[in-house]
Amino acid sequence: MTTKTDPKADAELKDEAVEVTDDVADEAAEAEAAEEAAEEAEPAQLAKENEEAARPSGVGAGAAAVVSVALGVVAMSGSWLGTIASARESLIGQLNTSQSASVAKQVSEVYGDSWHAAALVGGVFSLIALLIGAFALVRPAFGAPGRPQASWVKSTAWAGVTLGVLGLLLAVAKYSDLLLGLPKTS
């Protein structure tokens, strides 16, 4: 049995087969080109993401600014450490001063030294607050020059610097007896 085929139908089938093959080949070429483009774009995207991740976020400067303000407040209001240093100096003054010492010597040893110890501790806290606040202000110049510093970080850092300066001035005034000096004794 032989079957006769229509040459026209065979030609149409061949044309359709060629078109389907061409379409499949085109789709495969498009998929391959898209895959190559994705592979080329992937390292560029990863490099961009890595660059953004490596860039400082400013969290450290913000934290430093807040710590600066906290230390400035502690320096201005007094701290547990200052109270302990003051009480220690008062006790040392009581132990080192005899009952026969003059009133001026007793006041100086018992109260003056403890006042100065509290001033010294407040001055140290103020200096640390000043330095940390200044660091928070200057940090963007060293870390990420292209990224601007948040305004709240600048404001908070300036507050820390200001409290540090005021605390230092008060500590110097207390230590030198300009502020609430010892009473005069005769």
Side-chain angles (χ1 to χ4, degrees), residues 124-182:
V124 168
F125 273 95
S126 295
L127 182 63
I128 293 171
L130 174 66
L131 292 175
I132 291 175
F135 172 76
L137 284 172
V138 182
R139 175 72 175 111
F142 298 114
R147 180 177 283 189
Q149 190 175 35
S151 61
W152 72 268
V153 174
K154 284 182 183 179
S155 300
T156 308
W158 275 113
V161 167
T162 303
L163 286 172
V165 168
L166 287 174
L168 274 175
L169 291 174
L170 285 174
V172 168
K174 281 171 57 175
Y175 195 83
S176 63
D177 293 329
L178 292 173
L179 179 68
L180 299 173
L182 291 175

Side-chain angles (χ1 to χ4, degrees), residues 37-57:
E39 287 176 3
E40 289 175 10
E42 193 171 293
Q45 179 68 23
L46 287 175
K48 184 179 179 183
E49 289 174 2
N50 288 341
E51 182 182 315
E52 288 177 4
R55 192 180 305 164
S57 63

Side-chain angles (χ1 to χ4, degrees), residues 16-177:
E16 285 181 23
V18 168
E19 285 179 18
V20 167
T21 306
D22 288 344
D23 288 346
V24 169
D26 288 345
E27 288 176 6
E30 287 176 10
E32 187 176 312
E35 186 177 309
E36 287 177 11
E39 287 176 3
E40 289 175 10
E42 193 171 293
Q45 179 68 23
L46 287 175
K48 184 179 179 183
E49 289 174 2
N50 288 341
E51 182 182 315
E52 288 177 4
R55 192 180 305 164
S57 63
V59 172
V66 170
V67 167
S68 173
V69 168
L71 288 173
V73 168
V74 167
M76 298 279 286
S77 64
S79 66
W80 175 80
L81 189 59
T83 304
I84 296 299
S86 177
R88 183 178 185 278
E89 284 300 318
S90 179
L91 180 62
I92 290 171
Q94 290 172 4
L95 293 174
N96 290 339
T97 307
S98 66
Q99 298 245 340
S100 61
S102 69
V103 174
K105 174 128 175 105
Q106 287 180 359
V107 167
S108 174
E109 289 292 321
V110 175
Y111 300 107
D113 289 348
S114 66
W115 181 252
H116 293 152
L120 190 61
V121 171
V124 168
F125 273 95
S126 295
L127 182 63
I128 293 171
L130 174 66
L131 292 175
I132 291 175
F135 172 76
L137 284 172
V138 182
R139 175 72 175 111
F142 298 114
R147 180 177 283 189
Q149 190 175 35
S151 61
W152 72 268
V153 174
K154 284 182 183 179
S155 300
T156 308
W158 275 113
V161 167
T162 303
L163 286 172
V165 168
L166 287 174
L168 274 175
L169 291 174
L170 285 174
V172 168
K174 281 171 57 175
Y175 195 83
S176 63
D177 293 329

